[in-house]
Amino acid sequence: MMRSSTFARSESKPAVLACALAAALGSACQEDGKTSQKHAAELCGKLAPIVAEDVGQVRTGLPAGSQKLAALVDTDPGANLLGLQKAIAGARASVKDLEFAKSTFFSFADPSGTVLRSEADPDMLANRSVLASFPELRKVLAPGSGVVEAFGEMQEMRGVRNGPDLQWVAVHPVTRSGGELQGLFVTGWSFRAYAYRLQEAAKRDIAEIAKRDGLKSTPLLYVFAWKGAKAYGGPVTPDVNTEALEKLDLPAKTASGPWSGTVEIAGRTFGAAAQRAPELAADAGVAALVSTL
């Protein structure tokens, strides 16, 4: 009996050690999750004002840019496309807000909404109608209209080759001195391309946070721009991360203000945070996933 009892006690030691190790690991993971959650919330707090500034630059700069463009384009803008491209670049460069705007495209469209030329090459938007893809933009044709905006999808405005994307488009009339409509100044961004821009900005912040908090390595980071139930990450963001974020229902989570929590994705604990960016749209915002390595 003594031998049996001794054997039982000795056999129980590995089990006790295993349980202790599991508890320690669980506690460490929980602590890492809280740290990651804190960092994600901090990053969203920094990113939301960036969105507000970026949107403000477009809304403020587009009217002034349209005036500059009206003075630079030929009477028949489509007759000299190279000259039109230079006019677009010149108009944008002459307006500080547009010079620093984070738009992924600047284009000139004729009064029917068909793009004649864009600033960038290759020109994916040439001969494509923005008014056909974004019917809400037709409001810009009304006399005395200013900046008109719309959300939607247009293949030629995509920021990635494959996968879901969304675009925010802003247009302003370009008029001659007599008030005759000459065309439209078109700009905006792809959500996925914009998410990449935000993520690059956040990388600098997370590196500073890691240094400040004495972390051994820089946390893993993914940044998203979202609208409604859909989230859009940068070009290399894993689909599983996007899907996990969308399942959180960010509009509901942020209904009363910024939100943060934790989420398990492919066996890794991420700190998650989201914050609305009402300057862009009432149901739009930024989100971040952070995992302390």
Side-chain angles (χ1 to χ4, degrees):
M1 291 295 293
M2 289 293 292
R3 289 171 59 189
S4 176
S5 177
T6 301
F7 179 75
R9 286 198 301 271
S10 64
E11 193 176 50
S12 68
K13 288 181 180 180
V16 171
L17 290 173
C19 289
L21 179 59
L25 289 173
S27 178
C29 289
Q30 187 176 27
E31 186 59 35
D32 285 345
K34 290 180 179 179
T35 300
S36 297
Q37 177 182 343
K38 180 186 72 173
H39 292 160
E42 184 175 350
L43 286 175
C44 280
K46 293 176 180 290
L47 292 173
I50 292 177
V51 178
E53 181 180 3
D54 291 345
V55 172
Q57 285 177 335
V58 171
R59 289 178 179 155
T60 302
L62 203 52
S66 297
Q67 289 184 349
K68 298 286 185 181
L69 191 53
L72 294 173
V73 298
D74 297 332
T75 303
D76 182 5
N80 181 1
L81 295 181
L82 180 58
L84 180 56
Q85 182 185 30
K86 291 180 178 178
I88 295 169
R92 187 170 74 85
S94 65
V95 178
K96 186 176 181 181
D97 281 317
L98 294 187
E99 183 182 11
F100 295 103
K102 305 311 181 293
S103 298
T104 52
F105 55 87
F106 283 92
S107 307
F108 178 87
D110 67 18
S112 74
T114 299
V115 173
L116 299 181
R117 195 63 170 91
S118 300
E119 180 183 4
D121 284 314
D123 190 357
M124 304 299 293
L125 286 173
N127 302 316
R128 301 292 188 269
S129 174
V130 294
L131 298 188
S133 296
F134 303 89
E136 290 182 23
L137 295 180
R138 292 186 178 278
K139 296 174 184 176
V140 75
L141 302 177
S145 71
V147 177
V148 178
E149 305 168 33
F151 294 90
E153 298 180 50
M154 187 174 182
Q155 181 68 24
E156 293 77 14
M157 291 181 181
R158 295 174 60 83
V160 293
R161 183 173 300 177
N162 299 309
D165 202 352
L166 181 73
Q167 292 87 44
W168 171 65
V169 184
V171 300
H172 191 280
V174 178
T175 57
R176 296 187 176 91
S177 57
E180 181 185 357
L181 182 64
Q182 196 169 14
L184 308 173
F185 200 4
V186 186
T187 189
W189 57 60
S190 144
F191 265 53
R192 294 194 66 175
Y194 187 64
Y196 175 76
R197 171 269 193 288
L198 293 176
Q199 183 163 303
E200 290 301 297
K203 282 182 179 179
R204 296 188 292 270
D205 289 326
I206 198 66
E208 293 176 1
I209 290 172
K211 183 178 180 180
R212 180 197 69 194
D213 293 357
L215 301 180
K216 294 181 180 179
S217 59
T218 303
L220 183 62
L221 167 69
Y222 296 99
V223 172
F224 303 79
W226 56 271
K227 186 176 188 302
K230 302 297 292 182
Y232 304 89
V236 297
T237 301
D239 290 342
V240 66
N241 290 16
T242 305
E243 292 166 3
L245 199 62
E246 290 176 344
K247 288 178 181 178
L248 294 174
D249 191 357
L250 298 183
K253 285 282 194 295
T254 59
S256 58
W259 168 85
S260 67
T262 60
V263 59
E264 293 289 329
I265 304 175
R268 180 190 289 270
T269 300
F270 281 89
Q275 187 166 330
R276 293 198 182 196
E279 294 81 6
L280 179 58
D283 62 342
V286 294
L289 292 174
V290 176
S291 179
T292 304
L293 300 178

